[in-house]
Amino acid sequence: MRLTAFSDIALRVLLLTGAVADGQQMTTRAIAEGVGAPYHHVTKTVSRLVGLGLLTSTRGRSGGVSITPAGLDASVGQILRELEAGSAMVECESPGGRCPLDNECRLRLALTQARDAFYRELDGVHVKDLISQRQVGPVMVALSMRAPEFPGGRDAVTPTPGNTTTRDPVAQ
């Protein structure tokens, strides 16, 4: 399954804004630079995420965008279901899509079940669990913003028996 560019940008926006220090906001232009996407695509994406309650936006000179607690707690499966709704996997699913084999098609059902399984697998993955200081720290520094700090956090080195250390695999 392939995600739309819109969903890809939305997930990047959530990861970046999720790493911002509490009380700090980002401009949409800084977000666009940070996620490597065109400004107008990011503004559209931010607007949609604000509408879903995952981001909050403040207008004006000292305004900006920040992630909400609901945005941090949201599951990737839930987000993708919302953002990918209406996206056709095959032409026959799209409005006006035509296929000569459409009568009692079993492929469409199989693809629908596969898509549902994909989303279910991502239901246990939450935005807050994906944010890594090593991932977003350099981006924040490049944007002249304070690098995020995760006290005892997701990037912490964890001691294991035998005095060796391993890093959290999710953070790598």
Side-chain angles (χ1 to χ4, degrees), residues 22 35 40 43 55 66 75 95 102 115 149 157 162-163:
D22 286 340
V35 300
H40 72 279
T43 57
L55 294 178
S66 60
S75 78
D102 196 25
R115 178 177 28 215
E149 293 180 23
V157 175
N163 286 340

Side-chain angles (χ1 to χ4, degrees), residues 2-159:
R2 185 177 175 97
L3 299 179
T4 61
F6 187 83
S7 293
D8 177 32
I9 292 170
L11 292 172
R12 287 191 261 164
V13 166
L14 290 169
L15 291 176
L16 184 61
T17 57
V20 174
D22 286 340
Q24 196 175 14
Q25 294 184 323
M26 296 185 75
T27 65
T28 308
R29 198 159 299 284
I31 294 170
E33 187 178 330
V35 300
Y39 173 73
H40 72 279
H41 291 305
V42 171
T43 57
K44 212 169 132 179
T45 304
V46 164
S47 177
R48 180 74 191 279
L49 294 172
V50 167
L52 293 173
L54 303 176
L55 294 178
T56 185
S57 176
T58 308
R59 290 181 170 265
R61 186 171 188 183
S62 61
V65 176
S66 60
I67 196 164
T68 64
L72 284 170
D73 289 333
S75 78
V76 175
Q78 167 195 355
I79 294 166
L80 292 178
R81 271 188 202 89
E82 188 66 40
L83 298 178
E84 296 282 325
S87 296
M89 285 183 70
V90 289
E91 183 186 351
C92 63
E93 286 185 326
S94 61
R98 299 174 60 131
C99 174
L101 304 175
D102 196 25
N103 250 1
E104 298 184 36
C105 181
R106 293 180 186 168
L107 175 61
R108 192 174 332 143
L109 174 62
L111 290 174
T112 299
Q113 291 172 339
R115 178 177 28 215
D116 291 344
F118 175 76
Y119 292 147
R120 268 193 315 276
E121 188 65 28
L122 292 171
D123 281 338
V125 179
H126 297 267
V127 171
K128 65 183 173 193
D129 300 329
L130 298 175
I131 300 167
S132 160
Q133 183 172 2
R134 284 180 290 166
Q135 175 190 33
V136 296
V139 174
M140 296 302 218
V141 170
L143 295 173
S144 299
M145 296 184 74
R146 194 169 62 224
E149 293 180 23
F150 301 114
R154 297 176 277 259
D155 292 334
V157 175
T158 316

